[in-house]
Amino acid sequence: MKKVVLKLDLHDDRQKQKALKAVSALHGIDEMSVDMKAQKMTIVGAADPVAVVDKLRKLFPAVLIVSVGPAKEEKKEGGDKKEGGDKKDGDKKEGDKKEGDKKADANKQLVYPPWYPPPYGYGPPPQPYPQFVIHSAEEDPNSCVIC
């Protein structure tokens, strides 16, 4: 399960419905939501984020991926026990310091620039040089030559 957050340029409910309809055609999507104020779409499911963006860019060329991460699952009621037992403040190890770094990394957002098609300045590929075949009347026995 992945949670994908996308930034769209939506102006009204009609565009919102178009975006939801385009994404709903993909397989593996469990939940979709659109925040019109922040202009963000959140998709939860097993769908490929690249396929989601590809589908949306046909309608909205300026789609940006804000974040991709695991979907948060509901917490279990049963008490989770620590494997290492109770730790006191003086017994902290380096592994505990890494948890703070993970939280700082989670706050950073990765933003990709929008995709635009290449300009029309590129022409068709150049054609190879033509190859000419020269036939000689002397070599071809079926040719008719008036002398």
Side-chain angles (χ1 to χ4, degrees), residues 92-104:
K92 288 188 178 182
K93 296 182 181 178
E94 292 179 15
D96 294 338
K97 294 178 184 177
K98 292 181 182 179
E99 292 176 8
D101 294 338
K102 290 179 184 177
K103 291 179 183 177

Side-chain angles (χ1 to χ4, degrees), residues 130-143:
Q131 297 179 355
F132 297 103
V133 179
I134 301 174
H135 292 286
S136 172
E138 296 171 356
E139 296 176 3
D140 189 10
N142 294 329
S143 66

Side-chain angles (χ1 to χ4, degrees), residues 6-10 19 34 38-41 56 60 62-64:
L6 304 169
K7 182 159 178 59
L8 295 172
D9 189 22
L10 301 174
V34 176
Q39 293 188 345
K40 290 186 180 181
M41 175 182 264
L56 283 171
F60 308 100
V63 176
L64 298 173

Side-chain angles (χ1 to χ4, degrees), residues 15-89:
Q15 289 181 341
K16 174 184 171 182
Q17 291 300 323
K18 281 185 179 182
L20 288 172
K21 184 177 179 181
V23 173
S24 66
L26 296 172
H27 295 286
I29 294 178
D30 295 333
E31 182 182 337
M32 294 184 299
S33 64
V34 176
D35 183 12
M36 290 295 288
K37 291 182 181 177
Q39 293 188 345
K40 290 186 180 181
M41 175 182 264
T42 304
I43 299 167
V44 177
D48 184 24
V50 175
V52 173
V53 171
D54 186 38
K55 194 78 164 177
L56 283 171
R57 280 196 175 156
K58 292 178 182 177
L59 299 172
F60 308 100
V63 176
L64 298 173
I65 298 176
V66 176
S67 68
V68 177
K72 294 183 180 178
E73 297 179 6
E74 296 178 12
K75 295 182 180 179
K76 297 179 181 177
E77 293 286 329
D80 293 335
K81 296 183 180 179
K82 296 181 182 178
E83 295 176 9
D86 294 333
K87 293 184 180 180
K88 296 181 181 178
D89 293 336

